[in-house]
Amino acid sequence: NVTLKNCTVGPHVSIGDATSISNSTLKNTIIQNNTCIQNADLEDSMIGNNVDYAGGTKRVSIGDYSKIG
């Protein structure tokens, strides 16, 4: 299951299973499984599995098992 709270998603976004996203905007972005995104404005980004990202406005590529913010 995916949990979205106060988000704008799209176009061209893929979100993996068991992911939670809140207070964020996502465009042209891939987010893998078991990831938590908060307070982010992401575009043209890729975020791996098991990531905790409490970021800002960025174009990022984040590997598995990372914690940022």
Side-chain angles (χ1 to χ4, degrees):
N1 295 352
V2 172
T3 303
L4 301 172
K5 294 181 183 177
N6 193 32
C7 294
T8 302
V9 178
H12 312 295
V13 174
S14 178
I15 301 172
D17 190 39
T19 293
S20 174
I21 304 171
S22 63
N23 304 315
S24 299
T25 300
L26 310 173
K27 298 176 186 175
N28 303 317
T29 296
I30 298 171
I31 300 172
Q32 299 292 337
N33 301 316
N34 301 307
T35 292
C36 181
I37 308 289
Q38 300 174 38
N39 306 314
D41 187 3
L42 298 174
E43 186 172 354
D44 302 324
S45 298
M46 185 176 341
I47 298 179
N49 294 292
N50 301 294
V51 172
D52 187 2
Y53 181 73
T57 303
K58 295 186 180 181
R59 290 184 173 153
V60 296
S61 179
I62 301 173
D64 295 347
Y65 299 97
S66 297
K67 183 174 182 178
I68 298 174

